[in-house]
Amino acid sequence: MLVGAGAGAWFAVLAEDGYLARANVLVTVVALVVLAAGLVLSLPVAIPAAVALLGAEYVAILGFESDTIDTRAPLVAGALLAVAELGYWSLELRVPVVDEAGTYVRRIALLATLLLGVVGLGAVVLTLVEVVEAGGIAVDIAGAAAALGALALLALAARRTG
């Protein structure tokens, strides 16, 4: 079993040799196939599975190739939210329902507002992280609580839209 510095060196070799890049391409293709199959077969469970695969790929990139804060994180979060929302919306459109006039415009406006909010809030959080240089267990606990809060908000938003 690889542990400590040996594992870090092993992961560095993987990243340098291009294995990580090829693995990320493979995961992206798998996520797209899962999403497409789910949409074609009307399987709503495929949407969060594809988003989870794409999110895991991003985490792998951050974990193995970056030692700094990734300023693109809010954009990635917005893109993942857009994939999920548009995927669920495409499944909803298959059910014949008569919507009142302007429903689609309002929904697009709401989605755009949510995406801007996610990107904006993410930018604010990144700015705070850059400004506040603190350490210790209290900061770790606060960060874990913030991550759990973000996941709870995401689950609440998915539950209301799904």
Side-chain angles (χ1 to χ4, degrees), residues 4 24 28 32 35 47-48 53 56 66 70 81 89-90 94 96 108-109 111 114 123-124 126 133 136 145:
N24 281 335
T28 300
L32 291 175
L35 182 63
I47 296 170
L53 284 170
S66 178
D70 187 13
L81 176 63
W89 192 10
S90 69
R94 294 178 184 192
I108 290 171
L111 180 57
L114 283 173
V124 167
L126 285 179
E133 292 190 15

Side-chain angles (χ1 to χ4, degrees), residues 14-157:
L14 287 178
E16 288 176 9
D17 287 343
Y19 293 120
L20 184 60
R22 287 193 292 276
N24 281 335
V25 169
L26 178 65
V27 171
T28 300
V29 169
V30 169
L32 291 175
V33 168
V34 166
L35 182 63
L39 293 176
V40 168
L41 299 173
S42 295
L43 298 171
V45 72
I47 296 170
V51 170
L53 284 170
L54 293 171
E57 171 192 4
Y58 181 66
V59 168
I61 290 169
L62 290 179
F64 299 131
E65 293 185 351
S66 178
D67 291 334
T68 61
I69 294 174
D70 187 13
T71 56
R72 299 169 298 176
L75 296 175
V76 172
L80 292 176
L81 176 63
V83 167
E85 285 294 326
L86 293 172
Y88 281 119
W89 192 10
S90 69
L91 292 178
E92 289 174 14
L93 290 175
R94 294 178 184 192
V95 178
V97 174
V98 178
D99 289 326
E100 61 185 64
T103 300
Y104 297 132
V105 174
R106 285 192 301 271
R107 187 156 185 183
I108 290 171
L110 175 63
L111 180 57
T113 303
L114 283 173
L115 293 176
L116 287 174
V118 164
V119 172
L121 185 60
V124 167
V125 169
L126 285 179
T127 302
L128 288 174
V129 168
E130 287 290 330
V131 170
V132 177
E133 292 190 15
I137 189 106
V139 172
D140 291 342
I141 291 171
L148 288 174
L151 287 174
L153 287 174
L154 183 61
L156 181 63

